[in-house]
Amino acid sequence: MHIKQIIIQGFKSYKEQTVIEPFSPKHNVIVGRNGTGKSNFFAAIRFVLSDAYTQMSREERQALLHEGSGSAVMSAYVEVIFDNSDDRFPTGKEELILRRTIGAKKDEYSLDRKNATKSDVMNLLESAGFSRSNPYYIVPQGRVTTLTNMKDGERLILLKEVAGTQVYEARRSESIKIMSETDSKRSKIDDLLSYIRERLGELEEEMEELRAYQDKDRERRCLEYTIYHREQEKLQQELDQLDSMRDEGTSDMENNRKRFLEGEKVKSQFEDEIKALKQRMELLDVDKKQFEDERRDATRERAKIELEVNSVTEGQSAAQQARNRHESDVNGVQSTIQEREKSLSTLMPEYEKARSQEKSLKSQLEATEGTRQRLYAKQGRSAQFKSKQERDNWLRNEVDELNIALATRKAVTMQTTEEIEGLEKGIQQTNKEISQTRQKIDNRGQDLHSVSGDVQKAKDARDKLMDQRKELWRKQARLDSVMRNTRHELDGAERSLSHMMDQNTSRGLAAVRRIKQQRQLDGAYGTLAELFTVSERFKTAVEVTAGASLFHYVVDNDDTATKLLEVLQKEKAGRVTFMPLNRLKPKPANIPTANDAVELVSRLQYDPQFDNAFKQVFGKTIVCPDLQIAAQYARSHGVNAITPDGDRSDKKGALTGGYHDPRSSRMDAVGQVSKFRDEYESHKNRGHEIRQELEGKDQEITRAVSQLQKAEQRSEQAEASYGPLNQELRGKVQDLQDKQDQLEKKRSTKENVEKTTSDLKEQQEAYENELASDFKKALSKEEEQQLDSLNQSLPSLRKQHMEISGNRAELQAQKSTIEDELRENLRPRLDQLKEQEHETGAGSSSKLKERQKDLKRVGKAADTAEKKLGEVESSIDKANGQLAQLEEKRAARQRDQEDIARAIEKFQRRMEKGLANRSLTRERLDEVNKSIRDLGILPEEAFSKYKKVTSEQASKRLRNVNEALKSYSHVNKKAFEQYNNFTRQRDALTKRRTELDNSQSSIRGLIEVLDQRKDEAIERTFKQVSREFATIFQRLVPAGRGRLVIQRRTDENAGDLDSSESSSDEEDAGREKGRIENYIGVGISVSFNSKHDEQQRIQQLSGGQKSLCALALVFAIQQCDPAPFYLFDEIDANLDAQYRTAVAELLQSISEGEQSGQFICTTFRPEMIQVAEKCYGVTYASNKTSRIECVPRKDALGFVEGQIAGS
């Protein structure tokens, strides 16, 4: 074990917290300038571990606190942390933290952060080897000098302290004190015995006179008993009569109470039925108002729709005539269109045939003319060119030009073909669109019917949802009415319950319920009354037993209770008593096992988790049939007993009871509050559900209205679509005509281009043939024949073409006339007529049908509302009749209850009067009983001697006896008792004196034993210290020799001290041992130069030698009683260099030896630093605060050498 670390704060010069780096378990050296705080560091350790700082005054404690600049220090502490790896401290931990805290008004110790007393700390230190008798494990400045200057007698006292003789001296002084007290007690006992013997002689004379007095007094008591006993019997008869009358009246009273309770139940049933009936009537009134509103709305809507239907019906005849005329016009136009289309279909084949013939003849004519022209051109070129080469060059140029022209015509042909294909696709698409548009127009009536059906379905869906919403509104209105009534009932029940408890508790419980809901505290269960149920038979017993505990609030643990209490305190919201289940520890009760004793808690129905709470309140209570049995069990088993009527007997014998009004039952009040609160919460939750359903229904209605609006919009679009469709159809027909015209033009263009291309190819072929022929001045014979043939056939072809063209033009004119008539006249006229038909007929017809459907629907709704209204009014009339009957029955029952209450009140007054008489009789009987008890133990003759004597005779004889007793007024009535007391005191004192004599003999023997043990301890300690001193001195001064010598009184008287010296290891064996009282001192005899020279006394040595001897003595004492560590403050200050080195080596060897010890030393010399394991430096700041830090050995040596050089 060793000091591991030291923490200082506020102690002397160490203001700030100073945490010193862990010390070495061997040798540690602290250096620092004078005044920096080295001594304060050692004072801090002594402050914790030694007795140097005990029983300090306020000023002395204040002097230990830091007094530098800055804020004042109010308290200081020093904490020493020990390494306990060797378990020298019996704590079972590897470290022990010992702290001492001091202030102006406090001085405290702590062990391992826990408070401890000073005696605990000192005992723990002594158990680890810190001996109070050997304080030399801490050697402060001046201690070595003190030892150096110590006289031989003082050294002997030190030796006695080391030997532990203080314990023997303390026990010897205590024994002597006890002997002195024993002598004093024996003297007092002798005096008392003398007085008692004298007093016993006087009492023997007084006892004779007392016997005569006792005879007369015995007769007096017998007469008084006879008189009192007869009065007692008379009073007891009167009490029995009163009790008999009370029992008879109690039976009638009980019958009346039962009748009253039954009447209250019947009355309560009537009131409940009346409340339910009134609530039902309120709901019926709500339904009546809603049905009246629905009937009124339906009637208004029906009248409005009937007006519209009548208006539409009146215009039907005129509309019918217009429709007939319109149909005739439509039929006429349609027949004309059919005739024109038939004529057009007949004309079109002839037109196409003529057109085809014209095209064929035109192609033939153009081919003939082209061939002829080429032949004429060839014929002309024979005269144009002079040679074949010139002709060929020209032909080649022409062929090239023809190639270019052919390429251009080919590109034009391809582009025209693409355009024709695009127009053909466009015409096909336009024809399809025209067909679709015509189909839409033809199917428009069916679409209108379908859209009208969609509109009607949307209306039906909307009306159904609105009916459902109305039903929800009715439910909500009824529920609101029920909630108002339930809230009213709940408020009334809560007011009744609050009147049964104090206001603070009522406010507190309301606040706890609110806090529980707000903070969602699952561990808050409710009041005790809310957590159980009990049958009617035991309800009164439960209420009387629990009392105010019914309103104690049960929680799961004290954390929940603390949270609730904090909020209550913060909000100042009343007071509540909480019952944390984790804190309740009910003690088991001695419950009797009998048929007439029932454990009350067994009759309660509750959740098992609340068992501790109910056993805490009801666990020691039993239920008995009557109060007499209850009182017996209460006394015999130490429990509280109660009857079903609430009469109670506790284990101390107190009886409580009386009448309990069932109308003011707290259990019923709690039940009513719980019932109405549950109903209100249920209705509230249902109201929330209905509101959610209404919100959902509103959303559904909104969607249905949106669907209806979309359907109506589609209907309107369908009704208004005829004109746009016709317009669209006309536009598409016109577009078709334009595309057909463009197609004819493109086709014609394509034919012209193809004809031109064909001509160019033929021309190119002719040029190429000509290039291949010889150059001649005239045409060939075949060419001439061909030219003649062409000239002959050409007029015939022209004539045929003209005839065919005329026929085609005539057919085309007829076709164009028919098409223009259809396009510009007939079809627009038909479309116009159909549009007029839609505008006049279809709209009004569909509207009439819709309004007729609406009229039928509204009429049905009005009839339904009328029917339901009649049913509601019938129910209201019936409920009014039932209400009148119930109120009449309740009034009759109330009158009966009042009669019973008056009978009960009359009986109570009679009972009160009887109880008053009984009380007076009972008081007189108690007085008589007391008088009989005051007579004491009576002789046997008192019960029979005067039995036949009349009361007057007994009274006369009593007066005579009292007169005779007056002559004995001076008699000592306590003579017998006093004589017995004095006899007992004499025997006890005699026995006590004998015990004191034996005790004194034992104490004398103990003193002799203590003296012997003290002598042995001193002899043993002197031998050990003397042996260790010689050994250590030889280690410090190898060339010298040292020893301790004991001095006796016989030596001093002989005047030759030198001859009386004897060492423990040389001369004691042959010399007779003397007693310790003969010792007068311990001397030191040393030699520094030789082991054989004459030794010198310590007084003859130099200062350094004296200090070395003192250190040797300190080390010798430490070796005899080793400590775990040692604190030395500048012990080498007065030593020479060689001795400082020897001391340093000794410390090193001790710290590293088998019995290793930790050394913490301060020094200004380098020798001790050389052998130290760790070095520490003390610094002193400008704000008057010290600090200790670990420094290298080199820095410590440098500091010491600097100090030596400076000095």
Side-chain angles (χ1 to χ4, degrees):
M1 185 194 72
H2 63 274
I3 295 178
K4 186 175 182 180
Q5 196 172 24
I6 296 176
I7 302 173
I8 310 173
Q9 180 172 339
F11 186 85
K12 289 192 174 183
S13 60
Y14 294 89
K15 179 181 180 182
E16 305 296 335
Q17 186 184 59
T18 303
V19 181
I20 303 173
E21 184 175 326
F23 290 101
S24 168
K26 296 181 179 180
H27 192 191
N28 303 270
V29 171
I30 300 174
V31 299
R33 293 183 175 85
N34 286 328
T36 56
K38 300 192 301 299
S39 297
N40 290 341
F41 169 72
F42 276 91
I45 300 177
R46 293 176 64 201
F47 168 71
V48 178
L49 301 179
S50 72
D51 293 334
Y53 297 91
T54 57
Q55 297 179 354
M56 293 181 290
S57 64
R58 181 185 179 92
E59 290 74 14
E60 290 173 335
R61 287 197 298 269
Q62 187 66 39
L64 296 180
L65 304 179
H66 179 78
E67 295 182 351
S69 59
S71 59
V73 176
M74 303 306 295
S75 65
Y77 72 85
V78 179
E79 183 173 286
V80 180
I81 303 175
F82 292 97
D83 183 288
N84 191 36
S85 56
D86 56 356
D87 290 331
R88 290 190 68 168
F89 288 114
T91 61
K93 300 180 181 178
E94 294 189 356
E95 282 188 356
L96 176 73
I97 302 174
L98 174 59
R99 174 186 285 197
R100 185 178 180 184
T101 305
I102 194 169
K105 296 182 179 180
K106 68 177 180 179
D107 188 359
E108 301 172 345
Y109 285 88
S110 68
L111 287 171
D112 288 334
R113 313 296 184 194
K114 298 179 181 179
N115 290 336
T117 63
K118 182 180 178 181
S119 61
D120 294 339
V121 173
M122 293 306 168
N123 292 334
L124 183 65
L125 291 175
E126 286 194 3
S127 68
F130 297 91
S131 175
R132 293 189 187 181
S133 61
N134 180 13
Y136 284 92
Y137 63 89
I138 299 178
V139 182
Q141 285 187 16
R143 180 65 64 86
V144 175
T145 303
T146 301
L147 285 172
T148 301
N149 299 326
M150 188 177 287
K151 296 179 181 179
D152 293 345
E154 294 173 344
R155 238 178 254 114
L156 178 61
I157 295 172
L158 173 62
L159 190 64
K160 290 181 179 180
E161 291 179 358
V162 173
T165 59
Q166 290 179 350
V167 177
Y168 299 115
E169 291 291 345
R171 295 186 65 182
R172 190 175 190 278
S173 299
E174 184 179 353
S175 298
I176 292 173
K177 183 179 178 182
I178 292 173
M179 286 181 63
S180 176
E181 292 176 354
T182 302
D183 291 338
S184 176
K185 290 177 181 179
R186 287 196 301 176
S187 175
K188 291 180 181 179
I189 289 173
D190 291 340
D191 294 340
L192 285 172
L193 285 174
S194 176
Y195 168 74
I196 289 172
R197 291 189 184 98
E198 293 178 0
R199 184 61 182 146
L200 285 174
E202 295 174 357
L203 288 173
E204 287 177 354
E205 298 176 358
E206 294 176 357
M207 286 170 59
E208 292 297 328
E209 189 176 9
L210 180 60
R211 287 189 181 92
Y213 168 78
Q214 287 179 343
D215 293 338
K216 291 292 183 182
D217 185 66
R218 186 183 303 108
E219 184 179 2
R220 176 190 63 81
R221 289 190 295 126
C222 290
L223 290 170
E224 287 182 352
Y225 171 75
T226 300
I227 295 171
Y228 288 144
H229 180 65
R230 290 175 180 175
E231 185 177 2
Q232 182 186 39
E233 290 178 345
K234 181 180 178 182
L235 293 172
Q236 188 62 47
Q237 289 177 358
E238 293 178 0
L239 282 176
D240 293 341
Q241 291 176 359
L242 290 173
D243 289 341
S244 178
M245 293 174 60
R246 185 187 66 178
D247 291 341
E248 293 176 359
T250 302
S251 177
D252 296 337
M253 174 72 171
E254 188 65 26
N255 292 332
N256 288 333
R257 284 179 59 187
K258 290 181 179 179
R259 288 176 55 202
F260 185 79
L261 291 176
E262 292 174 357
E264 286 295 320
K265 291 181 180 179
V266 174
K267 179 183 172 184
S268 177
Q269 291 176 358
F270 286 153
E271 290 177 349
D272 292 341
E273 291 178 3
I274 289 172
K275 289 178 182 177
L277 199 55
K278 287 183 177 180
Q279 184 174 353
R280 182 185 169 198
M281 291 176 66
E282 290 180 2
L283 297 178
L284 290 173
D285 288 336
V286 172
D287 291 341
K288 180 180 177 182
K289 291 179 181 179
Q290 291 183 348
F291 287 136
E292 287 177 347
D293 293 340
E294 291 179 8
R295 183 183 65 177
R296 182 172 57 253
D297 295 340
T299 303
R300 290 177 180 174
E301 188 175 0
R302 180 167 61 181
K304 181 180 178 182
I305 294 174
E306 285 177 349
L307 290 175
E308 293 180 0
V309 169
N310 293 333
S311 176
V312 173
T313 305
E314 290 175 357
Q316 286 296 308
S317 58
Q320 184 65 34
Q321 295 177 2
R323 280 196 298 273
N324 293 333
R325 288 194 301 270
H326 186 272
E327 278 185 25
S328 177
D329 294 340
V330 169
N331 293 330
V333 172
Q334 286 178 345
S335 61
T336 303
I337 290 174
Q338 291 175 357
E339 291 176 0
R340 297 295 186 270
E341 288 178 347
K342 184 177 180 180
S343 300
L344 185 62
S345 61
T346 305
L347 182 63
M348 283 302 292
E350 296 178 2
Y351 170 74
E352 291 296 333
K353 182 179 178 181
R355 185 182 175 198
S356 176
Q357 290 177 353
E358 180 187 14
K359 182 178 179 182
S360 176
L361 288 172
K362 183 178 179 181
S363 297
Q364 187 178 357
L365 178 62
E366 289 176 351
T368 302
E369 287 182 349
T371 302
R372 192 186 68 166
Q373 288 178 359
R374 286 193 295 274
L375 290 174
Y376 279 129
K378 182 177 179 180
Q379 186 179 9
R381 279 193 296 275
S382 62
Q384 182 180 356
F385 301 106
K386 295 179 180 181
S387 63
K388 182 177 183 301
Q389 183 177 2
E390 184 177 358
R391 184 201 67 176
D392 291 344
N393 291 334
W394 183 85
L395 287 174
R396 289 188 184 94
N397 289 334
E398 289 297 322
V399 169
D400 292 339
E401 291 178 357
L402 287 174
N403 286 330
I404 294 172
L406 283 171
T408 302
R409 297 296 185 278
K410 186 176 180 180
V412 172
T413 301
M414 292 176 64
Q415 181 179 0
T416 304
T417 302
E418 291 177 358
E419 291 176 352
I420 289 171
E421 290 176 356
L423 286 172
E424 288 176 348
K425 290 180 180 180
I427 290 171
Q428 184 179 0
Q429 180 65 27
T430 302
N431 282 326
K432 184 177 180 181
E433 291 176 356
I434 290 172
S435 176
Q436 292 175 351
T437 303
R438 290 187 184 278
Q439 186 176 2
K440 287 181 181 181
I441 293 173
D442 295 337
N443 297 333
R444 181 173 164 278
Q446 185 178 356
D447 293 340
L448 282 175
H449 180 72
S450 176
V451 171
S452 177
D454 293 341
V455 171
Q456 188 61 41
K457 288 180 181 178
K459 286 183 178 181
D460 294 340
R462 179 201 62 184
D463 294 340
K464 181 179 179 181
L465 291 173
M466 292 182 72
D467 291 339
Q468 293 174 355
R469 183 171 66 177
K470 288 178 182 179
E471 184 63 28
L472 288 175
W473 281 342
R474 281 193 290 271
K475 289 182 179 179
Q476 187 178 30
R478 288 196 295 270
L479 189 61
D480 290 341
S481 176
V482 172
M483 286 181 65
R484 284 194 299 272
N485 292 332
T486 306
R487 180 76 253 184
H488 178 71
E489 295 291 343
L490 177 59
D491 293 340
E494 287 180 344
R495 282 195 299 273
S496 299
L497 181 60
S498 65
H499 292 158
M500 298 178 185
M501 67 181 82
D502 63 276
Q503 185 178 3
N504 285 332
T505 302
S506 177
R507 290 173 52 240
L509 291 175
V512 168
R513 284 193 293 270
R514 173 176 52 79
I515 296 166
K516 175 185 176 182
Q517 293 178 353
Q518 291 176 351
R519 303 202 174 189
Q520 307 259 323
L521 294 177
D522 296 332
Y525 300 118
T527 61
L528 198 68
E530 296 171 348
L531 300 178
F532 74 98
T533 58
V534 66
S535 63
E536 288 291 328
R537 180 186 176 192
F538 298 101
K539 184 170 66 178
T540 303
V542 167
E543 288 191 20
V544 174
T545 300
S549 299
L550 285 174
F551 305 117
H552 290 180
Y553 206 91
V554 181
V555 295
D556 54 353
N557 52 48
D558 42 8
D559 291 337
T560 304
T562 302
K563 292 178 183 178
L564 293 169
L565 285 172
E566 288 176 353
V567 179
L568 290 177
Q569 183 69 22
K570 183 179 180 181
E571 297 180 357
K572 297 181 180 179
R575 298 179 64 83
V576 176
T577 300
F578 290 98
M579 299 180 72
L581 293 176
N582 66 325
R583 292 288 187 180
L584 298 178
K585 306 294 181 185
K587 297 180 180 178
N590 184 19
I591 303 298
T593 55
N595 294 330
D596 54 356
V598 179
E599 188 178 7
L600 182 56
V601 73
S602 66
R603 300 304 177 185
L604 307 181
Q605 291 81 42
Y606 56 85
D607 194 315
Q609 67 173 323
F610 308 128
D611 189 59
N612 284 348
F614 286 99
K615 286 186 176 179
Q616 182 75 20
V617 177
F618 303 103
K620 296 182 179 181
T621 302
I622 61 174
V623 182
C624 300
D626 54 52
L627 191 58
Q628 183 178 0
I629 297 175
Q632 292 175 357
Y633 281 122
R635 288 192 300 269
S636 62
H637 289 76
V639 295
N640 296 325
I642 193 169
T643 66
D645 295 332
D647 297 332
R648 185 178 181 184
S649 175
D650 61 21
K651 56 188 177 182
K652 295 182 180 179
L655 301 177
T656 57
Y659 174 69
H660 293 276
D661 190 353
R663 293 174 295 181
S664 59
S665 171
R666 285 178 289 189
M667 288 293 299
D668 290 344
V670 171
Q672 289 294 319
V673 170
S674 299
K675 171 187 172 184
F676 289 125
R677 185 179 290 125
D678 293 342
E679 289 181 2
Y680 182 75
E681 291 298 328
S682 176
H683 294 329
K684 187 176 179 181
N685 293 334
R686 178 54 184 158
H688 181 66
E689 293 175 359
I690 290 176
R691 283 193 294 273
Q692 289 181 338
E693 290 180 11
L694 278 172
E695 291 176 359
K697 199 62 67 178
D698 289 339
Q699 295 175 358
E700 291 180 10
I701 290 174
T702 301
R703 290 193 292 270
V705 171
S706 176
Q707 294 295 330
L708 176 60
Q709 291 175 350
K710 291 179 181 179
E712 290 177 344
Q713 187 176 3
R714 290 196 301 270
S715 176
E716 293 174 358
Q717 290 175 354
E719 291 177 358
S721 64
Y722 188 78
L725 285 174
N726 280 332
Q727 185 68 29
E728 181 183 357
L729 181 61
R730 286 194 293 270
K732 289 180 179 180
V733 170
Q734 183 63 41
D735 183 38
L736 177 62
Q737 185 64 39
D738 294 341
K739 289 180 179 179
Q740 288 175 347
D741 294 342
Q742 292 178 8
L743 181 60
E744 289 296 330
K745 291 179 180 179
K746 291 297 181 181
R747 285 176 176 172
S748 176
T749 301
K750 181 180 179 182
E751 290 176 357
N752 294 331
V753 171
E754 287 177 349
K755 177 65 175 61
T756 303
T757 301
S758 178
D759 294 342
L760 290 175
K761 285 182 178 181
E762 291 177 357
Q763 184 67 41
Q764 182 183 16
E765 184 179 357
Y767 284 157
E768 289 176 352
N769 293 330
E770 189 176 352
L771 280 173
S773 64
D774 295 335
F775 181 74
K776 295 180 179 180
K777 293 295 185 177
L779 295 173
S780 63
K781 186 176 181 179
E782 290 83 3
E783 290 174 344
E784 287 180 355
Q785 290 176 357
Q786 183 180 7
L787 181 61
D788 292 339
S789 175
L790 291 174
N791 287 328
Q792 291 175 2
S793 62
L794 189 60
S796 175
L797 289 172
R798 286 176 179 167
K799 181 179 179 182
Q800 291 177 2
H801 179 265
M802 288 180 63
E803 291 176 356
I804 293 300
S805 294
N807 186 23
R808 191 266 311 162
E810 183 179 354
L811 291 172
Q812 184 175 3
Q814 292 177 4
K815 169 179 164 293
S816 298
T817 301
I818 294 171
E819 287 178 347
D820 290 342
E821 184 179 8
L822 286 170
R823 184 174 61 251
E824 301 295 335
N825 185 13
L826 294 176
R827 284 189 177 129
R829 175 59 180 167
L830 180 61
D831 293 338
Q832 184 180 6
L833 290 173
K834 288 184 178 180
E835 186 173 359
Q836 289 176 357
E837 178 185 6
H838 165 71
E839 291 177 354
T840 57
S844 60
S845 176
S846 60
K847 184 176 181 181
L848 178 61
K849 292 179 180 179
E850 289 178 4
R851 301 315 287 169
Q852 286 175 345
K853 290 181 180 179
D854 292 340
L855 181 61
K856 183 178 180 181
R857 175 181 56 80
V858 172
K860 184 177 180 181
D863 295 339
T864 301
E866 185 70 30
K867 180 180 178 182
K868 290 183 178 180
L869 183 61
E871 293 175 355
V872 169
E873 289 177 347
S874 176
S875 299
I876 290 174
D877 294 338
K878 183 178 179 182
N880 282 326
Q882 292 176 352
L883 181 61
Q885 292 177 359
L886 287 174
E887 287 180 344
E888 183 178 354
K889 290 180 180 179
R890 182 182 64 177
R893 176 55 63 179
Q894 180 65 29
R895 290 192 294 270
D896 294 340
Q897 290 296 99
E898 291 174 356
D899 293 340
I900 297 173
R902 282 193 293 271
I904 293 174
E905 185 179 0
K906 182 178 179 181
F907 174 76
Q908 286 179 341
R909 287 197 298 270
R910 187 168 65 250
M911 287 295 293
E912 289 172 359
K913 185 177 180 181
L915 287 174
N917 293 334
R918 188 181 187 281
S919 178
L920 294 175
T921 305
R922 184 78 237 182
E923 289 178 2
R924 178 56 188 160
L925 181 59
D926 291 341
E927 291 176 0
V928 172
N929 290 334
K930 183 177 181 299
S931 299
I932 293 175
R933 288 194 301 271
D934 292 342
L935 293 176
I937 300 175
L938 297 171
E940 188 68 26
E941 60 185 10
F943 304 102
S944 59
K945 183 177 180 180
Y946 302 105
K947 194 171 184 180
K948 297 180 180 181
V949 177
T950 62
S951 298
E952 293 180 358
Q953 292 174 347
S955 299
K956 183 177 180 181
R957 293 184 66 174
L958 180 61
R959 286 193 296 271
N960 295 332
V961 171
N962 286 331
E963 289 294 331
L965 285 173
K966 290 180 181 179
S967 60
Y968 294 97
S969 59
H970 63 283
V971 173
N972 182 8
K973 299 177 182 179
K974 296 184 179 181
F976 289 110
E977 182 179 355
Q978 291 175 354
Y979 183 84
N980 293 330
N981 289 338
F982 278 116
T983 301
R984 285 194 299 270
Q985 290 180 14
R986 180 192 61 189
D987 296 339
L989 289 173
T990 302
K991 182 179 179 182
R992 177 60 178 159
R993 194 182 190 289
T994 303
E995 292 176 353
L996 290 175
D997 292 339
N998 296 333
S999 175
Q1000 191 169 23
S1001 299
S1002 300
I1003 292 172
R1004 286 195 183 97
L1006 176 62
I1007 290 174
E1008 292 176 359
V1009 172
L1010 291 174
D1011 289 341
Q1012 181 182 357
R1013 290 182 180 178
K1014 182 178 70 173
D1015 295 345
E1016 293 173 354
I1018 292 175
E1019 289 286 348
R1020 183 172 60 253
T1021 303
F1022 175 74
K1023 290 178 182 180
Q1024 292 177 352
V1025 173
S1026 179
R1027 183 173 58 252
E1028 295 296 336
F1029 178 81
T1031 303
I1032 291 172
F1033 188 84
Q1034 188 173 1
R1035 293 179 65 181
L1036 295 176
V1037 186
R1041 179 176 176 232
R1043 61 175 182 155
L1044 298 179
V1045 294
I1046 194 78
Q1047 298 175 355
R1048 300 180 176 85
R1049 294 186 186 278
T1050 55
D1051 300 332
E1052 184 181 24
N1053 294 333
D1056 188 6
L1057 295 178
D1058 292 339
S1059 62
S1060 66
E1061 296 174 1
S1062 61
S1063 62
S1064 61
D1065 52 355
E1066 292 180 359
E1067 303 175 8
D1068 286 348
R1071 181 171 296 184
E1072 183 182 355
K1073 294 183 180 179
R1075 292 188 57 81
I1076 296 303
E1077 285 78 2
N1078 197 32
Y1079 295 164
I1080 61 173
V1082 175
I1084 299 177
S1085 177
V1086 297
S1087 172
F1088 279 87
N1089 298 322
S1090 173
K1091 296 182 180 180
H1092 305 288
D1093 291 347
E1094 182 179 356
Q1095 294 183 345
Q1096 297 175 315
R1097 296 295 183 92
I1098 191 170
Q1099 292 84 357
Q1100 300 171 342
L1101 301 177
S1102 64
Q1105 291 174 339
K1106 289 181 179 179
S1107 298
L1108 185 64
C1109 291
L1111 284 175
L1113 180 59
V1114 170
F1115 289 135
I1117 293 172
Q1118 291 174 350
Q1119 291 299 310
C1120 291
D1121 190 6
F1125 68 90
Y1126 304 97
L1127 305 178
F1128 293 157
D1129 191 2
E1130 298 183 17
I1131 61 173
D1132 58 351
N1134 298 326
L1135 298 179
D1136 297 334
Q1138 59 176 347
Y1139 299 137
R1140 291 197 299 270
T1141 303
V1143 170
E1145 291 175 351
L1146 178 63
L1147 293 180
Q1148 184 180 13
S1149 64
I1150 294 174
S1151 65
E1152 295 177 353
E1154 293 182 359
Q1155 295 182 351
S1156 60
Q1158 182 187 35
F1159 290 90
I1160 301 176
C1161 310
T1162 63
T1163 183
F1164 281 104
R1165 305 298 179 181
E1167 289 81 7
M1168 198 170 290
I1169 297 176
Q1170 295 288 351
V1171 298
E1173 286 281 333
K1174 296 186 76 173
C1175 299
Y1176 297 84
V1178 182
T1179 58
Y1180 193 67
S1182 59
N1183 58 352
K1184 298 183 180 181
T1185 59
S1186 300
R1187 294 191 63 81
I1188 300 180
E1189 297 177 349
C1190 186
V1191 297
R1193 180 183 285 110
K1194 180 179 179 182
D1195 293 347
L1197 288 171
F1199 169 78
V1200 171
E1201 291 172 357
Q1203 288 290 102
I1204 295 173
S1207 61

